[in-house]
Structure formats: C-alpha cells, structure tokens
Amino acid sequence: MSELFDAVDALLASRATLPPPAERKRLRAAHGLTIDEVATALKVRRATVSGWEAGKTEPRPPERDAYARLLDKLAELYPVTPAPAAETAPALDAPVPATFTAVPAPAQGQPLPTEPASDGGEVSAPLEPQVPASDLADASDLARTPASATKSTSTSRRPGAKKAAPAGTPVGEGDPRFENGPLAVVDADADGQVVAYCVGGLVLDVPAKTLASLVEWTLAEGKLGQPKLSGPGRAADPLLVLTQAVLERYGLPTELSAEEKDAGRIPEGHKVIKQLARAEWKLTKRGFGPWARIYRPATGSERACVQLCIPSWNALDTRFWGEAAQLPPAELARVLGVYASRVMTPRGSTAVTGLELMTALHPPTRASAPDENGKRTSEHNPGSLGKDPVDPAPCEAPDGHPVLKDLPRFHVRGPAEKLFEEAYDWARPMTDAECTLRYLVGLDVNMAFAAGANGLTVGLGEPTRVTNPAFDPKLPGSWLVDLSHVDLSRVKAGKEWVELDGSLLPSPFTPKGDHPEGPAWYATPTVAYAQELGYDVTPTEAYVRYDNGRYLDGWYQRLRDAYLATMADLGVDADLSPEDFLAAMDGYKARDPELGIVVAAIKATVKGGLGKLRERPRGEGWRPGERWRALERPTWRPDIRAAVISRTRINLHRKIVKHAAVTGQYPIAVLSDCVVYAADGPSPLDFLPYRDGKPLPGGFKLGINPGLVKHEGTQTVLWGEGVREQFDAPQLNFARFIKDGTVTDADNGE
C-alpha cells in the first residue's frame, strides 16, 4: 500500500502549483539567495533556474516538487504586500532599463591614442605553424541563400554571467543582423535543454533538437555574425562553439578516437553527417573536424554558412589558447568574444585566423563601377594578392616545391641557391669580465614580428628575374649578393663611424649569427641594412617584384590595437614610466586570466599567420616535386614571410649595435625576439642607459608598444655557467631558458 501512496504523491508533485515567474524571482531575492545557490540545492544548472524565473521553461519532476516546496516556504516568510495606489504617473523621461542594450561600437579601425614604434623584432619559434591548413579554398561554393524568416521560437535572457565582455567590447557592432554578437558557446543542461551563451552575458534558449536544426536556427533566428572588416569584404559567418554536453545531446562523440585524430575528422558515414545531408547541408572538403564548416550551395546573394568550433576535439590548442577549452560556457564566450571583436571571428586555429585576417582586410576582388547598363562585375582589388596563386622564385621555394623538380635527387641547396631568412638562434661564451657580473637579464621584444611587418613594402605579384641589377632598397625581392666584406668592427651608426668588438656580435646576415662566407640570397631588408652599415653591395642576380605595396599595414594595425587594448584592460598602459611599466607587467595575467588567454592568442595569431605564408605539406600523400594543397592559395607567399623575418631580425640587430656603441655592452645570447645581457643587477634598468627617464634613441626602450621591450626574466651568472657545464655546451642559448630557468635534456640548445 505504501508504494501506491508514494506513486500518488509523485503524481500530485508533478502538477505542483508554482507562482508566476516574476514572483519566483522576488521570493528568491527577498531571502538573499543567488541563482547559483538555488541551482546547487536543486542539482540543476544555473541556466535552468534562470529559465524558470524568466518563464521560458518549467521545472519537471523530481525538481518541480522541491522547487515548489522552496517557493512555498519563502512565500510564508515574505508574503506579498499590497502596493499603495500611485499618486502620480511615472515620469515620461524615466530611464529605460539597460537589460538588452548593446555597447556602442567604436569606429571601425579607430587607432589607439598612442602610436607604437614601427621598429622591433619578434619570434621565439620557427614560423612554420603546427596547425591544420585552412579550408578556404575548399568552400568556394558556400551558400548565398538567405535563411528562412521563420518566427523565432528561442528566448533570450541576461543572467549576469560572471565576467561578461569588458566595457568597450562591441556586441553586434551596431549591425541589427548581428545583435547577439559574433559567436555563441552552445551547451546542454541536465534536462536536455540547449542553451547558447553569447558575448556580453546574453543567454539564448535554443529549441533545436538536432545539429541540422541548430544550423537552421542559427541562420534564421540566432542573429550571430560580425560585420565585414573592409569595403569589398564580406561579413563573418556565425561561429558556434559546441561543448561536450551538447555534442552528446546531438549524437556526436565528445572526444575523437585515435583514428579520427589522425584523419582530423569523424567518418563520412557518421549518422550526424547523414542527418545534415538529408537536410541538404554540405561540409567542406576538410570534413567534420574540430573546425567544421556547414553550408548550402550558392543560389543567391546571401550566405548560408555556419562554422563550428569543438574544443574537446582540440580546436582550441593549448599551445595558443591555454586553458580556454576548460572554461565554463559563459567564460569561454567572453574569451572568444573579446578576441573576435578585436581581431576577427576565429576561422580555425590562430594561424588560420591570422592568414584569414590578411584576406579579410584585403579581399582579392571588388565590385567594378557600373557599366552603361548599370551592371557591376567582379574585378581585381588593388593592393590585394589577387585570387590566383603565384609561384615563388626558385631561391624562395622550400625543398620539394614543383619549381625545383629538375634538381638532382637528394641535392642539398646552399646559401647561393636558397633564401634562408629565419629568426635568430645565436649564443657565445661569456667573457672574463662578464663572468664577474652577477646576473643574466633577458629582454623580449613585444609583438616583434608584427612590428617587423609594419610599413614593410612586399611583393604583390609574380617575381621578375634580373641579372647584375643595381640594388634598390625600396624594391621588394630576393638578391644574390656577397656580404662577407661587411666588417662589424667598424660600422656606421647614423652618419658616424663607430668602432665595436665585432667578435662579440652576431652577424645580421645569418640566423645562426655566423659571418657569411660568400654569395648568398637575401631579402631586401637584409641587403639594405648592409648599405646602412656603410658598405657597398653588388648583387649578381635578383628576383624582384615591381607590383608591390604595404599589404600588411592594416593587418599590423588591427593586431596592434587588439594587443594594446587587451593589455590596457590588464592594467598595462602605453604611457607608463619604465618603473611603472615593469611593476605593471609583474603578474599581469593573474589580474584577469581570461584576458591573459586573449593576449596569448593575439600573439599566436601574428606568428601563426606569418607561418601560414609558407605552409608545408601535411600528409595528403604528397611526394617531392608535387603540388600540395596550400600552394593553391594566393596567400601562400614565402617571399612575404622571408621579408618580415628579415626586417624583424635587422630591427633587433640595429638596437644591439646602438646599445653596444653607447654602453660597450654586448649580448650573450639571442633567440628570435629575446636578447640576454650580463648585468650587475637583476632589472633591465640596471643596464639600459636611461637618462632622466628617457631611453637611448634607437636602442632598447621599455614599454608595451610593438617593437619596444619588456623584462623576459633574470637568472644568475652562476646558473648560466652551471647549465653550460651540465650539458657540456659552451654556447648554450640562455635566451631559451631565461624566463624561468628550467632546462631539460631535450632543451640542450640544439
């Protein structure tokens, strides 16, 4: 009989009477309870309780009975008090609640007040990205059919998610089509309710029961996306970030198997892919992987395309995004939303996004002026790389490229056959005088590769071969020239000749800092620097590009502004004194770890985007001499990558020379954008020649702007000598370990 009574009680509980949604919220607030506390007590998600209080969803057993009991008890404690009759009508100018107002968007491309220095240098790792290739070329038929304008069945709410986007972060950027922001993190609660967390704390209830219907809902009702970054460009497609809970809800694996990881996708026969096909949705050639694109073929003027990001499938690589994939949905939406608003909506890895940003700022085509019939056609967009790929000069091509297919098998090209512009990896033994000092202090150049791209003229079209050319420092290209006669013991610094100890300096002409021994191929900035040092140059051959321009300027400015704005949010401003700057940089990421993730992603976007300019084959059954996928992109341009690295390395060497000429101090090690000096004190201010707070003109300057330097780390001289003895490596590169002093067997500097 007791079982029957329990069944009857459960039946009655399933119909428990609940007060109206507004009263539910009043009762909770009256007792000082938070939504999180109620959700924890009832063992449901925070968004679930928010939905109950908003009246968008209703609790179901067994939570309904417990929720009703809670509200009944609260109603006894806090009965409704009749409100007195209003004596006056509400003021006509009463403020409108700001619950659903968006933050005004700043003018597109608005520069920050402080203009950073244009010189500098950065790279701590080779610029070959270790990331999947972009699938842009695979999606040329992305749909242009407008999404059906069905009546919205979703609901929205702003639960005040912890740490919404900071003030000044655009939400929808003023375009009503994208009023909910560029992206959403889609999650599912314990009841199976699908919820979309957008930027700014907005939460949307999603009625979609399948992935196909989620895509339909996104395009018809989601109001997600981002306005175009340039006039001839196009708006960014909506980005949906799928959590493990929603993957399970839609029948997708929460993690990829070993075979799927190798393939970079789930099998084409997967049931969800079949569901998409039945709904007439297509995938790009890269298939359904961590960064999948779902679209319909073009039939009109509007796109119908949605991009997916699946963190649990390693879409957010920890090397570039830190612990972003482990964040709760609202916090992850904030991180990606800040990145999207300041850089662009992610299109894949940070490397892919860096490359896509170049194209978004300089689309290959634009609409022509109307003809006599008022018709417009597509034409080349001046200043862009165009829509067709360009083959490199033989000296610029990496090994295995088709332009080198006639070389003998196993032939190894030397400096006179191959352009080898890479970042520094140089070190030398310490002098006796340096060994008497106490510390090794590392300086790191901020956003050095970005600074190296700023104002750089690069080739836009095909190379032209010339013999015995007169060198032109304004003409981008690759030059075969002998620079072995350049003597670093006597160089020009401005208009004055200065005497230096050349044996303590790295050569500016080779990544290893070795003195060149004969003719070699160099990019224009390297040869121009030899002239700047006071020496004649006589090229015997060159591949130059007469069609050229400052293609990367807008790219640099966008990333610079993103970096400076995010660092300012972390308390590091561009106008700080040297002492205040060093103090502000101490532990800056701990002030807001989520924004710290954004800073790291912005820096990875710079390096990865440049690395993508010379992407190598990634499997694909490739054999030397055959073309690979990346070669079909107009943005596959190893010459541009070489020019940026050349200028970055030269910028750093120029500062090193200036510092040595004034102070007599020489670097002990240089690795990419990090340079190490021996000093009496542990701070950069213990050896940088500041006078009355002003730095050495043309030398190292502390500050956050790209091209300026920050403190990378300090170790003792005894530590350095001990490490070199441990690994029996007199020229071990301290710059690799100066940050925290940790050295492993795998990091022996080779």
Side-chain angles (χ1 to χ4, degrees):
M1 185 65 69
S2 61
E3 293 180 359
L4 293 177
F5 286 165
D6 291 341
V8 170
D9 290 342
L11 188 61
L12 292 173
S14 68
R15 300 294 189 270
T17 302
L18 298 175
E23 177 65 3
R24 303 172 195 174
K25 183 175 182 179
R26 184 193 74 81
L27 292 171
R28 175 184 58 78
H31 200 61
L33 297 175
T34 66
I35 292 178
D36 287 322
E37 288 174 327
V38 174
T40 300
L42 299 179
K43 298 182 179 180
V44 296
R45 295 175 57 84
R46 184 184 196 280
T48 302
V49 178
S50 294
W52 297 344
E53 291 189 355
K56 307 307 180 184
T57 59
E58 288 296 316
R60 294 177 294 185
E63 291 85 4
R64 186 182 181 93
D65 183 30
Y67 190 45
R69 181 180 178 84
L70 171 65
L71 295 175
D72 286 344
K73 295 295 184 182
L74 292 176
E76 294 176 5
L77 295 173
Y78 308 100
V80 176
T81 302
E87 298 180 359
T88 59
L92 294 178
D93 59 349
V96 177
T99 306
F100 293 97
T101 57
V103 179
Q108 185 69 34
Q110 181 69 29
L112 294 178
T114 303
E115 180 71 15
S118 61
D119 61 345
E122 159 171 358
V123 192
S124 61
L127 284 180
E128 282 295 336
Q130 301 174 355
V131 290
S134 171
D135 62 1
L136 287 186
D138 304 331
S140 58
D141 60 344
L142 289 183
R144 317 209 183 281
T145 51
S148 58
T150 57
K151 182 179 179 180
S152 175
T153 57
S154 63
T155 57
S156 65
R157 52 191 190 264
R158 289 189 184 273
K162 175 187 175 184
K163 295 183 181 177
T169 300
V171 178
E173 302 192 16
D175 192 322
R177 295 175 300 165
F178 314 126
E179 67 179 37
N180 291 336
L183 55 88
V185 179
V186 185
D187 194 21
D189 62 20
D191 298 330
Q193 172 65 46
V194 179
V195 179
Y197 292 83
C198 306
V199 299
L202 175 66
V203 181
L204 302 174
D205 289 329
V206 181
K209 304 299 183 184
T210 65
L211 183 62
S213 59
L214 174 65
V215 175
E216 297 275 6
W217 171 86
T218 301
L219 296 172
E221 306 174 30
K223 296 185 179 180
L224 297 170
Q226 188 176 40
K228 59 187 179 182
L229 296 180
S230 65
R234 59 173 177 79
D237 298 319
L239 173 65
L240 300 180
V241 184
L242 306 184
T243 67
Q244 287 184 299
V246 86
L247 290 175
E248 189 173 3
R249 173 73 173 82
Y250 289 145
L252 288 163
T254 56
E255 295 181 353
L256 296 181
S257 66
E259 294 78 8
E260 291 167 341
K261 287 180 181 178
D262 291 339
R265 64 180 78 186
I266 60 176
E268 294 184 5
H270 193 280
K271 62 180 181 180
V272 172
I273 296 180
K274 292 180 179 179
Q275 290 172 358
L276 292 171
R278 286 195 295 270
E280 299 181 345
W281 291 105
K282 294 181 178 292
L283 296 164
T284 63
K285 292 180 181 178
R286 297 200 64 81
F288 201 129
W291 290 93
R293 297 186 69 79
I294 303 174
Y295 70 98
R296 283 192 177 127
T299 58
S301 60
E302 297 294 328
R303 294 170 63 85
C305 178
V306 172
Q307 174 135 3
L308 304 182
C309 167
I310 306 178
S312 63
W313 294 6
N314 200 35
L316 301 177
D317 193 317
T318 55
R319 293 173 298 173
F320 315 119
W321 286 102
E323 300 303 316
Q326 308 303 320
L327 292 174
E331 281 73 8
L332 180 55
R334 181 204 180 206
V335 167
L336 295 177
V338 173
Y339 178 90
S341 67
R342 293 177 176 174
V343 179
M344 69 180 298
T345 303
R347 292 288 306 274
S349 66
T350 50
V352 170
T353 304
L355 195 70
E356 286 303 294
L357 182 60
M358 297 179 195
T359 303
L361 295 169
H362 289 286
T365 59
R366 68 178 184 183
S368 67
D371 59 19
E372 62 275 8
N373 298 320
K375 184 179 180 181
R376 297 178 183 267
T377 57
S378 177
E379 65 178 15
H380 173 70
N381 182 27
S384 75
L385 297 181
K387 59 185 181 64
D388 298 317
V390 173
D391 277 341
C395 63
E396 299 165 347
D399 294 337
H401 192 282
V403 301
L404 305 174
K405 62 182 179 181
D406 294 331
L407 287 177
R409 192 178 182 186
F410 305 122
H411 175 73
V412 178
R413 294 184 293 162
E417 299 174 279
K418 180 180 180 180
L419 178 69
F420 193 64
E421 294 283 11
E422 298 294 342
Y424 266 131
D425 185 355
W426 169 87
R428 63 170 175 81
M430 286 189 287
T431 65
D432 291 343
E434 289 166 343
C435 288
T436 64
L437 302 177
R438 296 181 61 189
Y439 297 100
L440 300 174
V441 184
L443 301 176
D444 180 76
V445 182
N446 298 314
M447 294 277 283
F449 286 130
N454 183 32
L456 178 64
T457 301
V458 299
L460 301 178
E462 297 181 350
T464 300
R465 182 178 180 270
V466 291
T467 56
N468 299 316
F471 176 68
D472 182 353
K474 297 182 180 179
L475 185 61
S478 301
W479 309 79
L480 181 61
V481 58
D482 188 350
L483 299 181
S484 60
H485 63 291
V486 177
D487 183 6
L488 295 181
S489 298
R490 187 172 185 272
V491 298
K492 268 191 174 181
K495 295 183 179 180
E496 302 292 331
W497 286 90
V498 297
E499 303 291 335
L500 301 172
D501 188 341
S503 65
L504 301 180
L505 288 171
S507 169
F509 309 126
T510 61
K512 290 292 185 181
D514 301 327
H515 193 75
E517 298 179 353
W521 286 98
Y522 303 101
T524 297
T526 303
V527 185
Y529 186 57
Q531 278 190 333
E532 180 185 326
L533 293 175
Y535 292 86
D536 294 330
V537 294
T538 309
T540 57
E541 185 180 357
Y543 287 90
V544 298
R545 287 173 168 82
Y546 296 109
D547 178 14
N548 55 66
R550 292 168 57 160
Y551 175 73
L552 295 173
D553 274 11
W555 183 81
Y556 160 77
Q557 291 161 8
R558 181 82 176 172
L559 290 164
R560 172 204 63 189
D561 291 354
Y563 176 68
L564 292 181
T566 310
M567 289 302 294
D569 288 340
L570 287 165
V572 186
D573 296 312
D575 56 354
L576 296 173
S577 68
E579 295 81 5
D580 290 342
F581 170 71
L582 290 175
M585 286 295 295
D586 187 16
Y588 72 94
K589 289 185 178 180
R591 295 176 199 136
D592 191 329
E594 292 165 18
L595 289 185
I597 292 174
V598 176
V599 169
I602 292 170
K603 294 163 73 173
T605 302
V606 173
K607 293 186 179 182
L610 293 172
K612 275 283 185 182
L613 293 170
R614 199 192 67 169
E615 184 178 358
R616 301 304 305 276
R618 302 186 180 282
E620 308 170 13
W622 175 80
R623 294 181 179 180
E626 298 177 345
R627 296 188 70 82
W628 60 91
R629 187 197 305 268
L631 300 188
E632 307 311 316
R633 292 195 320 252
T635 48
W636 193 85
R637 292 295 300 272
D639 57 299
I640 295 179
R641 173 187 178 274
V644 173
I645 297 176
S646 164
R647 191 164 186 245
T648 302
R649 193 182 67 246
I650 294 306
N651 283 342
L652 181 57
H653 195 275
R654 186 182 291 113
K655 295 178 188 297
I656 290 172
V657 167
K658 186 69 174 181
H659 185 83
V662 173
T663 68
Q665 298 168 340
Y666 295 84
I668 292 172
V670 184
L671 181 68
S672 188
D673 51 0
C674 179
V675 56
V676 177
Y677 285 89
D680 275 325
S683 168
L685 291 176
D686 290 320
F687 71 95
L688 291 182
Y690 272 83
R691 294 181 180 177
D692 299 325
K694 295 182 179 180
L696 171 69
F700 295 107
K701 178 182 178 181
L702 291 167
I704 199 58
N705 284 328
L708 306 188
V709 299
K710 62 180 181 292
H711 183 205
E712 178 69 1
T714 295
Q715 304 297 328
T716 65
V717 169
L718 290 177
W719 166 88
E721 288 302 297
V723 168
R724 284 183 168 175
E725 289 181 8
Q726 177 184 351
F727 291 101
D728 192 22
Q731 291 180 257
L732 184 75
N733 196 324
F734 293 143
R736 183 173 281 108
F737 322 110
I738 196 71
K739 190 167 189 176
D740 61 10
T742 302
V743 185
T744 65
D745 291 337
D747 295 330
N748 61 7
E750 298 301 324

